[in-house]
Amino acid sequence: MSDFVYDPPPGAPRVIHADHEVLVVEKPSGLLSVPGRGEDRADCLIARLREAFPTVLLVHRLDLDTSGVMVFGLTPHAQRHLSKQFEERRTKKVYVARLHGRLEPRTGRVDLPLIVDWPNRPRQKVDLDEGRPAQTDWRVVRADDAETRVRLMPVTGRSHQLRVHMAETGHAILGDPLYATGEARDHPRLMLHAESLRFAHPDGGVQQGFTSPAPF
């Protein structure tokens, strides 16, 4: 990753929903969720949002290369409330991905514990002894011998979980610069998109769901 040049896409993020407590937006691929190390990585989603929403507060993250739905708090109460839902796995997240090759069967679960691969950070790896529990459910949308379109439902929320789990099935996410190899890696972007997110609204607890169509 030493030769990586951060070149985020321009423009204001698309706002899906905003009220007195909650901000839901669509993160583009190639934009950091929060600032990275160094002045050249200061441009990020939350910094851009702060221009229009000065009180915006981080709740969760999406990888640099992943696009899709993200929720932010606009008050400390909302941030605490939403963060607790993520910690207690009460949010419902659905991702769309394009995988290399044909994934079978049509539904299943990957249950492999993950740990940071320290010599190769930011990569993660499976470690059956020391890894933290991680589960991902999948449902195939359509497939042929070349690729599979799949919906991924993470049960846990480990770093790079979906990317590592799919690579471990032998069907890496297309365009993944860390876990795909050969022709599977040769795509213009990581083919992973956070399609929908459901959570209880911090003011009253009513369940709300928001979606963002996959751009691929």
Side-chain angles (χ1 to χ4, degrees), residues 80-93:
R80 288 191 299 270
H81 196 283
L82 292 165
S83 296
K84 191 172 183 181
Q85 291 183 61
F86 276 88
E87 290 166 12
E88 296 177 353
R89 302 178 191 170
R90 290 188 281 123
T91 58
K92 182 176 173 58
K93 296 170 280 186

Side-chain angles (χ1 to χ4, degrees), residues 7 16 33 69 85 118-119 143:
D7 184 23
I16 299 172
S33 296
V69 180
Q85 291 183 61
W118 283 104

